[in-house]
């Protein structure tokens, strides 16, 4: 089972901004800055989009940004584009040994 | 450019052992900054971290699978492997190998920066 909770779906029109939430606990997001976000297209491997809460790897568009407050992390996609339609997963370091570190996943739809 | 490539049978019979290998190229598997892990994704479902290995051979596993899984590393070949024993239909999934970070104290950080393309393994008779 997932330790982190995400909304099942989020949608927006081209050009709009959307935010995906990722809710954890004091054992993970609330304590550590090791929060990552992944983008996954159907049939493809996940791609790292954000790490350490808000850092973008080289080559990732600056339309993607991350933040956290308390036990909740967020991924914001600004200037939504058709190519952003994908599944998004969060993950966080946890002080537990469960390895249940991924979020439940959010399907982003561009209307 | 670092690349990972999974290989192994795509069909395994129930109660048998699932065996996969991940070949690492473009970088050394002996880089002390990283772990090498396995993540699976059942069809239509989310990601599940199974465990991983350090180049020294030190391993960590998901507790709920610990009795059925072995992950090992072969630094001479720059590859690491997954064995999952006594499989059932619920083990049917896309299996990915991936590199991820570690803390200075050896904690496994789920920052997976490089992934293999994945291999679909179906458990069926």
């Amino acid at each position: 089972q997932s330790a982190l909770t995400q909304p099942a779906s989020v949608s927006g029109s081209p050009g709009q901004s959307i935010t995906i939430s990722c809710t954890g606990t004091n054992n993970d997001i609330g304590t550590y800055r090791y929060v990552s976000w992944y983008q996954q297209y159907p049939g493809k491997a996940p791609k790292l989009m954000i790490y350490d809460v808000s850092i973008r790897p080289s080559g990732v568009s600056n339309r993607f940004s991350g933040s956290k407050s308390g036990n909740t992390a967020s991924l914001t996609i600004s200037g939504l584009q058709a190519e952003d339609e994908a599944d998004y997963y969060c993950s966080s370091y946890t002080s537990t040994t469960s390895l249940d570190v991924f979020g439940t996943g959010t399907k982003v739809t561009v209307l | 450019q670092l690349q990972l490539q999974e290989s192994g049978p795509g069909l395994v019979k129930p109660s048998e052992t699932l065996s996969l290998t991940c070949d690492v190229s473009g970088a050394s598997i002996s880089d002390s900054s990283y772990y090498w892990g396995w993540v699976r994704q059942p069809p239509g479902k989310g990601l599940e971290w199974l465990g991983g290995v350090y180049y020294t051979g030190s391993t960590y596993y998901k507790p709920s699978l610990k009795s059925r899984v072995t992950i090992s590393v072969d630094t001479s070949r720059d590859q690491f492997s997954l064995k999952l024993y006594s499989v059932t239909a619920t083990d049917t999934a896309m299996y990915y190998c991936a590199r991820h970070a570690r803390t200075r104290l050896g904690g496994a950080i789920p920052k997976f920066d490089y992934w293999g393309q994945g291999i679909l393994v179906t458990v069926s008779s």
Side-chain angles (χ1 to χ4, degrees):
Chain A
Q1 66 279 13
S2 299
L4 307 178
T5 302
Q6 300 178 231
S9 63
V10 173
S11 62
S13 299
Q16 285 186 331
S17 293
I18 62 169
T19 297
I20 303 168
S21 62
C22 173
T23 302
T25 68
N26 284 330
N27 292 325
D28 38 67
I29 294 174
T31 299
Y32 304 100
R33 291 193 61 83
Y34 297 128
V35 177
S36 298
W37 289 90
Y38 304 86
Q39 176 190 62
Q40 186 181 33
Y41 293 116
K44 299 295 186 181
K47 174 187 176 183
L48 181 66
M49 303 298 284
I50 295 285
Y51 67 94
D52 293 356
V53 176
S54 61
I55 300 176
R56 284 187 308 276
S58 175
V60 172
S61 171
N62 59 10
R63 297 186 299 104
F64 292 85
S65 62
S67 63
K68 81 160 187 167
S69 177
N71 293 341
T72 299
S74 300
L75 174 71
T76 297
I77 309 175
S78 58
L80 198 62
Q81 299 179 2
E83 66 197 50
D84 300 330
E85 189 162 291
D87 293 325
Y88 292 83
Y89 293 90
C90 62
S91 72
S92 173
Y93 181 81
T94 175
S95 59
T96 71
T97 59
S98 69
L99 295 195
D100 288 325
V101 298
F102 287 108
T104 48
T106 298
K107 181 175 180 58
V108 168
T109 301
V110 181
L111 302 172
Chain B
Q1 174 76 348
L2 176 63
Q3 291 186 320
L4 293 85
Q5 178 70 58
E6 305 89 349
S7 61
L11 180 64
V12 181
K13 291 182 168 55
S15 80
E16 295 191 345
T17 298
L18 179 160
S19 295
L20 298 175
T21 296
C22 181
D23 287 295
V24 177
S25 59
S28 173
I29 203 169
S30 300
D31 189 325
S32 62
S33 298
Y34 301 100
Y35 278 113
W36 304 89
W38 289 94
V39 177
R40 71 179 179 181
Q41 185 173 35
K45 296 188 178 182
L47 301 169
E48 180 183 21
W49 191 9
L50 305 182
V53 64
Y54 194 48
Y55 78 95
T56 59
S58 174
T59 55
Y60 64 92
Y61 301 118
K62 182 169 187 174
S64 61
L65 292 172
K66 191 172 184 178
S67 62
R68 294 202 295 131
V69 65
T70 298
I71 298 174
S72 59
V73 64
D74 185 339
T75 55
S76 66
R77 297 185 176 184
D78 276 328
Q79 64 181 206
F80 61 107
S81 300
L82 169 73
K83 289 187 183 299
L84 185 62
Y85 308 102
S86 304
V87 297
T88 69
T90 58
D91 294 310
T92 293
M94 184 73 80
Y95 284 77
Y96 297 100
C97 60
R99 187 181 81 168
H100 70 90
R102 66 189 293 271
T103 67
R104 284 175 293 174
L105 297 180
I109 301 172
K111 173 196 164 188
F112 297 90
D113 56 355
Y114 286 92
W115 297 70
Q117 65 184 20
I119 183 169
L120 178 62
V121 179
T122 301
V123 178
S124 176
S125 55

